[in-house]
Amino acid sequence: MEKLEYFNYLRTIPALNFIGEADHPEHLEDNLYGIFQCFMPDGTGVEAVFSPLPDGDLLRERILPVYKLVEEKVRECLKQEIVPGYFVPETIVCSNEELMQLGDQFINNIKTLSEYNNDNEFTELMAGITNVEIVKSREELDKSIDDTQDYIYDALSDYISDYIDNNDLLSILSEAYYSIACDYWLSYYLQYPAIKTDLNCDIFKPYFELWARGYYCSFKTDALLICP
C-alpha cells in the first residue's frame, strides 16, 4: 500500500469521513491533524486507523491508554456539548521519590540513545545531567531552563526522524500523533513500536508516565526539571 492509497483508505473510516481529498499529496500528514480526537472518548474504532500498518496491533495497544486517561473528563465535556481539542490528563499527586525515579529513568534512556548513536557531543552533554529537580510551577521551570532543552529536543527529533522511514505509511500520521497533545516526545512514545532500532530500551516510556500523571519536564545544563 502506498501513502496516497493509505490516506484514501483513512477517508473511508466513518469517523474520518470529513477528510477531504489531498490537495498536496507530498504533505498528506497536514490533512490528518486531530484525527485521533475523532475516536474520543474511549478509542472505539481507532483500530481501523492501524489495521493496514505492519505494526498496527502494537500501535493500537499503545494509544488506547491515552483514551483511558481522559475518558471520564471527555465524557463530562461532551455532556456540556464541549468537544475537547486535545488529550489533557488530570494531575495525579505523586511523591517526589516517584517523580525523581521516572526522571532518572528518562535521563538514562536518553544517555543510552546518545551512546548508541556514537554522538560524542551529545553524550558529553548528557553526562553533565545528573540530577532531577522538582519545581512547583511551569513558570518556575521556564525561568530555570537554558538552551540545553533545545539541544536535546533537536537531537531526539533528528534521531527519531532517522528511524522512521520517510516512505513508511506511519509517517503520514506524524501530525495526527503530534496533535494529541501538541507534544513531539509523547508522539514518539506512541509511535515507538514501529521505530526499528537495536536498543533494548523504550526511550520515551518514563516521559509518557510523567505526562500521564499530569506532569511536565524540561532539561537544563545539569538537571531534568519536573513540575505539575
Side-chain angles (χ1 to χ4, degrees):
M1 181 179 281
E2 299 294 329
K3 288 183 178 181
L4 184 57
E5 184 181 359
Y6 177 51
F7 175 82
N8 286 328
Y9 158 79
L10 292 174
R11 295 177 60 218
T12 69
I13 298 173
L16 305 181
N17 62 10
F18 63 90
I19 300 173
E21 294 185 6
D23 295 328
H24 303 285
E26 67 277 14
H27 297 298
L28 295 173
E29 64 276 7
D30 294 341
N31 299 75
L32 302 178
Y33 188 97
I35 64 167
F36 289 122
Q37 282 83 332
C38 297
F39 301 96
M40 286 178 166
D42 60 2
T44 298
V46 75
E47 64 274 4
V49 173
F50 302 112
S51 60
L53 303 180
D55 298 292
D57 288 344
L58 295 174
L59 293 165
R60 174 180 56 83
E61 289 302 315
R62 183 151 286 208
I63 201 172
L64 286 177
V66 173
Y67 289 98
K68 190 68 175 177
L69 284 166
V70 301
E71 181 179 355
E72 184 177 345
K73 185 177 181 179
V74 170
R75 289 190 186 280
E76 288 302 315
C77 288
L78 294 177
K79 286 179 182 178
Q80 301 174 50
E81 299 184 349
I82 299 171
V83 180
Y86 302 101
F87 293 71
V88 183
E90 297 286 355
T91 299
I92 301 171
V93 177
C94 299
S95 68
N96 284 358
E97 181 181 6
E98 180 180 3
L99 296 174
M100 293 180 74
Q101 183 178 32
L102 289 170
D104 281 332
Q105 290 172 3
F106 190 38
I107 292 170
N108 290 332
N109 285 0
I110 297 176
K111 287 180 177 179
T112 298
L113 178 63
S114 69
E115 293 165 2
Y116 174 81
N117 284 279
N118 297 314
D119 188 328
N120 293 333
E121 183 179 358
F122 191 18
T123 299
E124 183 177 348
L125 181 144
M126 290 305 303
I129 299 175
T130 57
N131 301 309
V132 177
E133 298 177 11
I134 313 300
V135 297
K136 294 180 179 179
S137 67
R138 180 69 179 270
E139 181 180 6
E140 184 179 347
L141 182 147
D142 288 340
K143 289 179 179 178
S144 302
I145 61 175
D146 51 36
D147 58 4
T148 302
Q149 169 68 15
D150 292 336
Y151 185 99
I152 295 173
Y153 180 89
D154 290 341
L156 290 177
S157 296
D158 289 342
Y159 289 147
I160 298 303
S161 295
D162 287 343
Y163 291 135
I164 298 178
D165 185 346
N166 285 331
N167 294 319
D168 188 347
L169 299 183
L170 183 66
S171 66
I172 75 167
L173 295 178
S174 60
E175 286 298 302
Y177 273 114
Y178 170 74
S179 64
I180 287 173
C182 294
D183 187 329
Y184 281 113
W185 288 356
L186 175 65
S187 78
Y188 299 154
Y189 167 75
L190 295 174
Q191 296 174 80
Y192 203 73
I195 295 174
K196 306 304 181 185
T197 77
D198 296 326
L199 281 172
N200 186 23
C201 173
D202 198 344
I203 297 169
F204 297 95
K205 175 69 170 176
Y207 181 83
F208 170 75
E209 294 296 342
L210 288 168
W211 177 83
R213 290 162 171 76
Y215 287 81
Y216 178 84
C217 67
S218 189
F219 287 93
K220 66 174 184 177
T221 303
D222 61 350
L224 175 70
L225 305 177
I226 299 175
C227 73

